[in-house]
Amino acid sequence: MTAPIVGALLGLKTLRDTVRTCSPSSDAGHALTEALRVLSEALMQASIDVEWVPLHAKADEWGVPLDTAQKWAKRGLITAEKQGRNWYVQASATPPSLTRVSEAA
């Protein structure tokens, strides 16, 4: 799971806790419960739709050293997420164009 999705899920836990403090019969309680349901479904679908692979696997596929791919990720030239010490990239990712790489250097 990506960092933004994990962060959003933690936010949903806070929202769920807020919902529990509202009266279930109140309009606010109903609205918060519905918002929680919709957000949960959207986040789960988003996490299902995107396949993430280790960056080192993509670097091998692209024929570049891992440290080069990590530099691209840090500079925002590829969409990647760092979890702990490891970088992950979307399975459908492509390497940046040579023009974008030279502009970022």
Side-chain angles (χ1 to χ4, degrees), residues 3-4 7 17 22-23 26 29 41 44-45 47 55 62 66 73-74 80 86 101 103:
D17 294 343
C22 290
S23 168
S26 72
E41 288 177 9
M44 291 309 295
Q45 189 60 43
S47 66
L55 184 58
W62 296 334
L66 176 59
K74 291 175 187 174
N86 300 315
V101 171
E103 289 172 358

Side-chain angles (χ1 to χ4, degrees), residues 18-40:
T18 302
V19 168
R20 288 182 178 163
T21 64
C22 290
S23 168
S25 62
S26 72
D27 287 341
H30 288 297
L32 286 171
T33 301
E34 181 61 13
L36 178 61
R37 185 189 66 75
V38 170
L39 286 171
S40 295

Side-chain angles (χ1 to χ4, degrees), residues 23-103:
S23 168
S25 62
S26 72
D27 287 341
H30 288 297
L32 286 171
T33 301
E34 181 61 13
L36 178 61
R37 185 189 66 75
V38 170
L39 286 171
S40 295
E41 288 177 9
L43 284 170
M44 291 309 295
Q45 189 60 43
S47 66
I48 291 169
D49 289 345
V50 177
E51 180 184 357
W52 293 83
V53 296
L55 184 58
H56 68 81
K58 276 297 187 181
D60 288 345
E61 179 183 316
W62 296 334
V64 298
L66 176 59
D67 65 330
T68 297
Q70 289 172 335
K71 287 176 187 175
W72 292 345
K74 291 175 187 174
R75 294 177 182 161
L77 297 173
I78 57 174
T79 302
E81 296 286 338
K82 188 171 184 182
Q83 293 183 349
R85 295 176 23 183
N86 300 315
W87 282 94
Y88 294 89
V89 65
Q90 293 180 2
S92 61
T94 58
S97 68
L98 293 177
T99 304
R100 286 178 56 200
V101 171
S102 63
E103 289 172 358

